[in-house]
Amino acid sequence: MKTNHYADTMQWLLRREFWEHKGSMFWAPLIVGAVLVVLMGGTITYGIMQHGIPAHVTINGQALHHARLDQILPEETKLMVAKIATGMYLGAGLPLFAILTGVVFFYCLGALYDERRDRSILFWKSLPVSDPVTVLSKAVMAMVVAPAITLVLAIIVSLALLVITGLAISTQGLNLFPSLLASSGLYLSPLRLIALLPVYVVWALPTVGWLMLVSSWAKSKPVMWAVGIPVVALIVIKWINAALENFSGQTLLLSHYAGDVVARFLGGIVPGIWFTFQPHLLAGMPVSGNGVDMTGVVSQSYLSLAGIDAWIGVVLGVAMLVAAVRMRRWRDEG
């Protein structure tokens, strides 16, 4: 019964967070996605309709018209083109993931700060909802729900652009839809993208923890505190390290990791950030001539969890969330 009670409470809290931030978490990426479909789809369609397919086929010295491409291209070539398209079409949703970074950043900073500023925390504390569950719901919203919404919208946008491109190409006599529908990448690529969500949660946890900790105690200007403290600390460490190197020839061991720590605290919510911290993952990805190998992206992304630095970040993130819970228990001033 207690488990069901916690589940119902969490569901109610997540719904509350979604409705309070529906504009940034749903409508903003939806509008940007719609604009992408209209602008990119219109540009692709206009380019193909006006200039034709940028390809020239010559047999025995005779140039063939684009309208005959569907008849002269071998089936193997069509399948190869379809494989490239289904391996790369999800890239059309990348702008939505850039928006996700900003949405999560400012959501976490305002998650606990805004309720103190407008004193709505007095109302929420009057309800039978514990501080740990409330903070956990906000963290889940930032690391799971918001990215999941963006993933779904990015997949829809990418599929829409793929269909528009296929329709535009078909006006030139080249029907790729049978090959596209027969390509496994069309169906598996979205599933592989969704499979990256647990990896994102692990790498985003220290940033979410830090931002929510700042949100729980900052009296004003949480953005300045969240960014300023790590940056100033990094500058001080670098300065001390340079001074020690000049005077004694020794360096601080911490200085070698300070930049990475600051980047984890501020940039962990950027999708794919694990490739930056572990560049060997990209080098280990199999080379594919047919677009992006999503299988390699997924496998290499999960390999990033084999390093201890990923789990040190998890421990720090959890510790900061616990500290945010304790701060919320006694800080209710406006």
Side-chain angles (χ1 to χ4, degrees), residues 101-180:
T101 301
V103 168
V104 172
F105 184 87
F106 288 104
Y107 167 77
C108 291
L109 276 181
L112 301 175
Y113 170 77
D114 290 342
E115 64 181 13
R116 287 188 294 111
R117 182 182 60 178
D118 59 18
R119 301 191 67 80
S120 61
I121 189 174
L122 300 177
F123 168 75
W124 295 115
K125 281 194 172 186
S126 67
L127 300 178
V129 181
S130 65
D131 293 306
V133 175
T134 301
V135 173
L136 179 61
S137 69
K138 295 176 183 293
V140 171
M141 198 71 195
M143 296 185 295
V144 179
V145 178
I149 294 173
T150 301
L151 279 173
V152 172
L153 292 177
I155 292 171
I156 294 174
V157 167
S158 301
L159 285 172
L161 287 172
L162 184 63
V163 171
I164 291 174
T165 302
L167 290 173
I169 292 177
S170 66
T171 62
Q172 304 299 308
L174 182 58
N175 182 15
L176 290 177
F177 283 108
S179 301
L180 288 172

Side-chain angles (χ1 to χ4, degrees), residues 172-229:
Q172 304 299 308
L174 182 58
N175 182 15
L176 290 177
F177 283 108
S179 301
L180 288 172
L181 295 175
S183 176
S184 60
L186 179 67
Y187 313 101
L188 294 179
S189 291
L191 297 178
R192 290 165 180 157
L193 187 62
I194 294 173
L196 294 176
L197 186 56
V199 182
Y200 178 80
V201 171
V202 170
W203 285 89
L205 187 53
T207 301
V208 171
W210 166 247
L211 295 177
M212 292 190 68
L213 177 60
V214 173
S215 180
S216 68
W217 62 261
K219 292 185 177 181
S220 63
K221 300 178 178 64
V223 176
M224 182 187 70
W225 290 108
V227 178
I229 291 178

Side-chain angles (χ1 to χ4, degrees), residues 15-300:
R15 286 182 177 178
R16 163 208 162 188
E17 293 297 325
F18 175 73
W19 285 110
E20 287 187 352
H21 301 88
K22 191 175 182 180
S24 60
M25 290 189 178
F26 178 74
W27 287 114
L30 179 63
I31 292 173
V32 171
V35 171
L36 281 175
V37 171
V38 173
L39 292 182
M40 293 182 64
T43 301
I44 292 172
T45 302
Y46 177 80
I48 292 177
M49 296 290 289
Q50 290 294 317
H51 306 289
I53 301 175
H56 300 281
V57 180
T58 303
I59 298 180
N60 296 328
Q62 180 182 3
L64 300 176
H65 195 269
H66 288 301
R68 297 182 58 189
L69 285 178
D70 195 34
Q71 289 76 35
I72 63 173
L73 282 182
E75 197 63 31
E76 294 78 7
T77 303
K78 295 180 183 178
L79 290 175
M80 182 188 69
V81 173
K83 192 172 183 179
I84 294 174
T86 54
M88 300 181 65
Y89 78 101
L90 288 178
L94 287 177
L96 299 187
F97 294 111
I99 293 176
L100 172 66
T101 301
V103 168
V104 172
F105 184 87
F106 288 104
Y107 167 77
C108 291
L109 276 181
L112 301 175
Y113 170 77
D114 290 342
E115 64 181 13
R116 287 188 294 111
R117 182 182 60 178
D118 59 18
R119 301 191 67 80
S120 61
I121 189 174
L122 300 177
F123 168 75
W124 295 115
K125 281 194 172 186
S126 67
L127 300 178
V129 181
S130 65
D131 293 306
V133 175
T134 301
V135 173
L136 179 61
S137 69
K138 295 176 183 293
V140 171
M141 198 71 195
M143 296 185 295
V144 179
V145 178
I149 294 173
T150 301
L151 279 173
V152 172
L153 292 177
I155 292 171
I156 294 174
V157 167
S158 301
L159 285 172
L161 287 172
L162 184 63
V163 171
I164 291 174
T165 302
L167 290 173
I169 292 177
S170 66
T171 62
Q172 304 299 308
L174 182 58
N175 182 15
L176 290 177
F177 283 108
S179 301
L180 288 172
L181 295 175
S183 176
S184 60
L186 179 67
Y187 313 101
L188 294 179
S189 291
L191 297 178
R192 290 165 180 157
L193 187 62
I194 294 173
L196 294 176
L197 186 56
V199 182
Y200 178 80
V201 171
V202 170
W203 285 89
L205 187 53
T207 301
V208 171
W210 166 247
L211 295 177
M212 292 190 68
L213 177 60
V214 173
S215 180
S216 68
W217 62 261
K219 292 185 177 181
S220 63
K221 300 178 178 64
V223 176
M224 182 187 70
W225 290 108
V227 178
I229 291 178
V231 171
V232 170
L234 178 61
I235 293 174
V236 170
I237 291 173
K238 294 291 186 182
W239 180 83
I240 295 175
N241 183 70
L244 285 175
E245 188 174 9
N246 289 333
F247 286 103
S248 64
Q250 297 179 345
T251 59
L252 290 174
L253 181 62
L254 179 62
S255 66
H256 299 290
Y257 305 100
D260 288 343
V261 171
V262 172
R264 284 295 303 274
F265 272 37
L266 297 179
I269 55 178
V270 178
I273 193 68
W274 46 90
F275 289 112
T276 301
F277 289 106
Q278 300 183 10
H280 66 277
L281 296 175
L282 288 175
M285 230 182 299
V287 179
S288 173
N290 298 320
V292 179
D293 184 1
M294 283 300 296
T295 304
V297 172
V298 173
S299 61
Q300 294 300 107

